[in-house]
């Protein structure tokens, strides 16, 4: 959650996505922050009693976008066309960008370009009221879950890139506790609702197992 980050992390990569104050989704976000504060992340990700699953996933997806936005914002000066000429997560995983509308055929591009495409695309989905309705009583579309899964799958790639290519910079900035807590929250959430295919998580599988084992 955003309250984990110090003022040094206030620089975001893209504009922060705000949930309107006074809305039910805002109340859900406050509930999530309060539960997170208890330190039990497994419990914090569970669907609160009586709440709508789509709405819970929507609120958390917006929050993860904002977290990753801040985390990547802290290391953008180290992630350049020169240092990261391809979007990768270690030597075995390389990502090519396609969004199915503007870029239909996957293109190879640098990590900063890929992440710019990715975060712009995510922001467009979050701003689309037909996909992420913010007004009470407006139903979520039938394809909401598949869109949310694609968003989270792509956001995972930013975590994977940061861990594999920029962890030294994260440590220099003393942001590793923020990164680890944010990623652990993200992983517990996607595991709770089976939102990302296990194969997609392969680049950080060792870390995921390590984070999970600490909570057993």
């Amino acid at each position: 959650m955003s309250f984990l980050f110090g003022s040094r992390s206030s620089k975001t990569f893209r504009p922060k996505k705000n949930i309107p104050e006074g809305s039910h989704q805002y109340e859900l976000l406050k509930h999530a922050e309060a539960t997170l504060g208890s330190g039990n992340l497994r419990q914090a990700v569970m669907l609160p009693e009586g709440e709508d699953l789509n709405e819970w996933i929507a609120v958390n997806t917006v929050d993860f976008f904002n977290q990753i936005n801040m985390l990547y914002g802290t290391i953008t000066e180290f992630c350049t066309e020169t240092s990261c000429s391809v979007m990768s997560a270690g030597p075995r995983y390389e990502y090519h960008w396609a969004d199915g509308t503007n870029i239909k055929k996957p293109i190879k591009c640098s990590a900063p370009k890929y992440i710019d495409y990715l975060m712009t695309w995510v922001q467009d989905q979050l701003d689309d009221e037909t996909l992420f309705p913010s007004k009470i009583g407006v139903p979520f579309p039938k394809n909401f879950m598949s869109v949310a899964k694609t968003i989270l799958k792509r956001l995972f790639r930013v975590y994977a890139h940061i861990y594999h290519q920029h962890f030294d910079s994260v440590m220099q900035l003393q942001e590793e506790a923020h990164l680890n807590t944010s990623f652990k929250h993200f992983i517990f959430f996607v595991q709770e609702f089976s939102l990302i295919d296990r194969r997609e998580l392969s680049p950080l599988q060792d870390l995921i197992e390590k984070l999970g084992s600490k909570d057993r």
Side-chain angles (χ1 to χ4, degrees):
M1 288 282 160
S2 45
F3 72 88
L4 292 168
F5 298 91
S7 57
R8 239 166 10 93
S9 305
S10 60
K11 172 186 163 193
T12 61
F13 177 60
R14 297 202 64 76
K16 194 167 181 275
K17 168 76 181 166
N18 290 315
I19 289 174
E21 259 184 76
S23 67
H24 182 61
Q25 291 187 5
Y26 186 79
E27 294 309 311
L28 265 184
L29 183 65
K30 290 285 138 206
H31 168 86
E33 287 187 357
T35 326
L36 264 181
S38 72
N40 185 338
L41 285 175
R42 285 272 180 221
Q43 211 175 330
V45 298
M46 289 175 182
L47 179 67
E49 204 175 328
E51 293 298 345
D52 176 65
L53 178 61
N54 285 343
E55 196 157 33
W56 182 238
I57 286 174
V59 164
N60 281 278
T61 300
V62 169
D63 192 52
F64 288 127
F65 168 77
N66 286 333
Q67 287 187 44
I68 293 166
N69 212 349
M70 280 195 278
L71 285 164
Y72 186 67
T74 63
I75 57 111
T76 44
E77 64 194 281
F78 309 108
C79 186
T80 65
E81 299 281 331
T82 317
S83 67
C84 302
S85 56
V86 293
M87 174 62 178
S88 62
R92 290 174 51 214
Y93 300 95
E94 190 176 302
Y95 301 112
H96 295 179
W97 178 255
D99 58 16
T101 29
N102 299 323
I103 300 170
K104 291 191 168 73
K105 195 178 171 189
I107 58 166
K108 186 173 179 169
C109 55
S110 68
K113 190 77 186 152
Y114 184 101
I115 293 169
D116 190 24
Y117 279 136
L118 187 158
M119 297 302 263
T120 303
W121 177 83
V122 172
Q123 194 152 32
D124 288 346
Q125 310 311 301
L126 300 181
D127 288 341
D128 185 341
E129 278 288 326
T130 64
L131 278 176
F132 279 78
S134 59
K135 294 177 181 69
I136 291 177
V138 177
F140 283 85
K142 287 189 172 65
N143 66 332
F144 171 75
M145 201 59 87
S146 70
V147 173
K149 284 179 175 181
T150 304
I151 291 172
L152 293 164
K153 175 180 79 176
R154 289 176 172 172
L155 289 177
F156 167 81
R157 294 171 181 177
V158 185
Y159 280 119
H161 180 73
I162 294 172
Y163 270 111
H164 276 282
Q165 314 302 133
H166 299 293
F167 197 65
D168 286 351
S169 303
V170 170
M171 285 173 71
Q172 260 179 316
L173 295 164
Q174 298 179 318
E175 295 285 351
E176 67 268 31
H178 294 158
L179 175 62
N180 289 339
T181 306
S182 171
F183 181 63
K184 188 175 183 178
H185 178 206
F186 178 87
I187 283 300
F188 284 10
F189 187 81
V190 299
Q191 286 174 338
E192 175 73 12
F193 303 106
S194 305
L195 297 168
I196 302 180
D197 192 294
R198 193 180 161 85
R199 279 171 316 178
E200 282 285 338
L201 301 173
S202 300
L204 294 177
Q205 197 52 51
D206 291 349
L207 176 64
I208 291 167
E209 282 170 17
K210 196 169 148 190
L211 292 173
S213 67
K214 285 181 182 172
D215 273 73
R216 283 187 195 123

